[in-house]
Amino acid sequence: YLYGQEIEAPVFPGHIVSINDHAYGATTGYDKLVIPGHIDCINTYAFYDCSAKEVILEEGVVILGEGAFAGCENLQSITIPLSCGLMHDNIFQDCPEELVIRCYAGSKAEDYAKEYDINYELIG
């Protein structure tokens, strides 16, 4: 766990398939976060209150746990792939109103954005 530490950017070795609860909570020192497709699950509050302004989830990420990016006050955009089919509650709780979810038409992410009244932009 790196909770509360300042890091350049999280690095995810190939053998990691999920990010544990609170693992990167309150981490600072980076603006962009890219989560590779070999990570299939981002668990509860995994990146709570992190410093990222932009998050890109690559194709292969399947699950976003409750509050996964909650409290990320700098978060401006997140790209969510088609593979992401399970999105729990409050993923973006206490994030800026200007947050934009970048997603595909007809995707779970588009449905989520509509349900929670979050700005979204269609890609692809």
Side-chain angles (χ1 to χ4, degrees):
Y1 290 91
L2 297 172
Y3 190 90
Q5 295 184 30
E6 183 170 339
I7 56 179
E8 278 188 37
V11 175
F12 307 102
H15 66 280
I16 303 293
V17 295
S18 69
I19 299 173
N20 291 334
D21 298 357
H22 304 279
Y24 292 91
T27 53
T28 60
Y30 56 95
D31 289 334
K32 185 174 183 178
L33 173 63
V34 178
I35 300 179
H38 63 81
I39 304 287
D40 64 1
C41 181
I42 300 171
N43 284 300
T44 305
Y45 295 97
F47 290 95
Y48 175 80
D49 193 29
C50 78
S51 69
K53 292 180 182 177
E54 177 184 13
V55 174
I56 298 171
L57 307 178
E58 294 183 345
E59 191 66 34
V61 174
V62 178
I63 301 168
L64 290 177
E66 183 171 346
F69 294 97
C72 295
E73 296 176 354
N74 298 319
L75 191 57
Q76 297 170 359
S77 72
I78 183 167
T79 302
I80 302 176
L82 280 171
S83 60
C84 192
L86 182 56
M87 299 177 68
H88 290 275
D89 295 332
N90 305 313
I91 294 169
F92 305 108
Q93 181 180 358
D94 298 325
C95 287
E97 288 183 22
E98 301 79 25
L99 171 65
V100 175
I101 294 176
R102 299 184 73 244
C103 59
Y104 293 89
S107 67
K108 178 65 177 171
E110 181 185 17
D111 294 343
Y112 189 93
K114 289 176 180 178
E115 180 180 345
Y116 286 90
D117 197 26
I118 300 172
N119 302 315
Y120 69 96
E121 174 183 304
L122 297 178
I123 55 177

